[in-house]
Amino acid sequence: MALFITDECINCDVCEPECPNDAISEGEEIYVIDPQLCTECVGHYDEPQCQQVCPVDCIPHDPSHVESKTQLQDKYERIMAAQA
């Protein structure tokens, strides 16, 4: 399941550099997460790093992008292969 950023985001800029897949970027009003690139840090870390650093806890799981750990691992491997 990908993550998303709610409108509680305060644009503090701490989540974007923590994302190992470059899935987080500045949106029109708040930061946004690209579900095609978000692996919840599977393949990189044990826990989503953006959630760990967010001071307002505004990065929940996205119920519209449900994925298993296996699917997230497969997505991670595709992303890494495309970058090679």
Side-chain angles (χ1 to χ4, degrees):
M1 175 177 300
L3 303 171
F4 77 105
I5 298 174
T6 69
D7 59 7
E8 294 170 359
C9 176
I10 59 171
N11 290 316
C12 66
D13 303 323
V14 298
C15 62
E16 183 182 24
E18 294 299 320
C19 182
N21 295 330
D22 296 324
I24 301 174
S25 61
E26 287 186 61
E28 287 186 32
E29 295 181 26
I30 61 173
Y31 280 88
V32 294
I33 297 177
D34 181 344
Q36 300 302 313
L37 294 176
C38 179
T39 63
E40 294 182 40
C41 290
V42 168
H44 295 282
Y45 302 103
D46 292 334
E47 297 179 6
Q49 297 302 289
C50 59
Q51 285 181 330
Q52 299 302 308
V53 299
C54 181
V56 293
D57 196 27
C58 69
I59 309 175
H61 289 98
D62 186 348
S64 63
H65 292 96
V66 177
E67 297 170 289
S68 69
K69 290 289 184 187
T70 300
Q71 290 170 312
L72 291 170
Q73 180 68 36
D74 291 345
K75 185 193 306 185
Y76 160 76
E77 291 173 9
R78 285 192 306 274
I79 291 168
M80 292 301 104
Q83 291 177 357

